[in-house]
Amino acid sequence: FVQIGRNDHPHPRLKGDNVLNLIGQTNLRELMRVIYGAEGVITPISLPMHVAAAVPAHPRTGRRPHCVVLAGGREPPNWEQYPAHAYLNCCGRLKCCPEGGCTKSRVEALQDGRAFDGPDKLCQQPVHTDSGQVVARCMTMITVDDVVRCVRECEEALR
């Protein structure tokens, strides 16, 4: 496993002998090369999901990397999902996203002067996690078991 991301974003560190931590250590070109050579990608709605859909098939595997997207309820599948991606979402399961995504920009205000801090732009159902983070309730509805199931289904498709 290779963990990537920006240093100034919250990334709980993965643990294990098979984890390479590249958080804050890749530029855009390096990020694209990492994803190009990957068997799969697990990501929220972010640049890596778009890169996974855009890179050409790798000669070693003959395909693009599988991609599991933890989408929650912000953006509906018909807006954001690529055909070969597993798109884990809860659109239609909460009152804040009954017929599609809520399109809220932030879970809590960052006080950075941007319009994303307005009350109409903030998540209606923030949840405080055991680790002290504040996340959207829709993201807590995606379980580790959901992600593992998707990864296993992708592995099974290769056999």
Side-chain angles (χ1 to χ4, degrees):
F1 289 90
V2 178
Q3 189 173 11
I4 52 134
R6 289 178 39 173
N7 272 332
D8 60 337
H9 289 174
H11 295 285
R13 300 302 197 252
L14 298 176
K15 296 178 178 100
D17 294 336
N18 60 346
V19 176
L20 175 60
N21 182 345
L22 293 181
I23 293 173
Q25 300 177 50
T26 58
N27 60 32
L28 180 58
R29 183 181 184 93
E30 293 163 338
L31 170 71
M32 294 180 89
R33 290 189 57 82
V34 167
I35 293 172
Y36 171 65
E39 289 285 326
V41 175
I42 301 171
T43 182
I45 296 174
S46 63
L47 177 64
M49 72 175 269
H50 299 294
V51 173
V55 294
H58 194 282
R60 176 177 40 83
T61 62
R63 61 167 180 76
R64 293 183 175 106
H66 288 292
C67 189
V68 177
V69 180
L70 289 67
R74 183 171 187 264
E75 297 175 25
N78 65 329
W79 178 259
E80 202 67 56
Q81 181 180 9
Y82 289 99
H85 288 184
Y87 193 84
L88 300 175
N89 74 93
C90 64
C91 292
R93 294 171 50 203
L94 293 170
K95 66 180 178 181
C96 51
C97 55
E99 296 179 18
C102 72
T103 67
K104 301 298 182 192
S105 300
R106 294 183 173 166
V107 178
E108 59 185 348
L110 298 180
Q111 307 303 329
D112 60 2
R114 298 180 69 196
F116 300 127
D117 280 351
D120 61 325
K121 301 290 184 184
L122 296 177
C123 175
Q124 295 174 2
Q125 296 192 41
V127 173
H128 293 270
T129 66
D130 294 337
S131 65
Q133 286 186 304
V134 181
V135 299
R137 179 171 176 221
C138 58
M139 293 303 284
T140 68
M141 295 170 70
I142 300 170
T143 67
V144 172
D145 289 341
D146 294 333
V147 176
V148 170
R149 177 183 44 79
C150 286
V151 169
R152 287 192 174 141
E153 287 172 357
C154 291
E155 287 176 342
E156 196 62 35
L158 292 176
R159 294 185 187 155

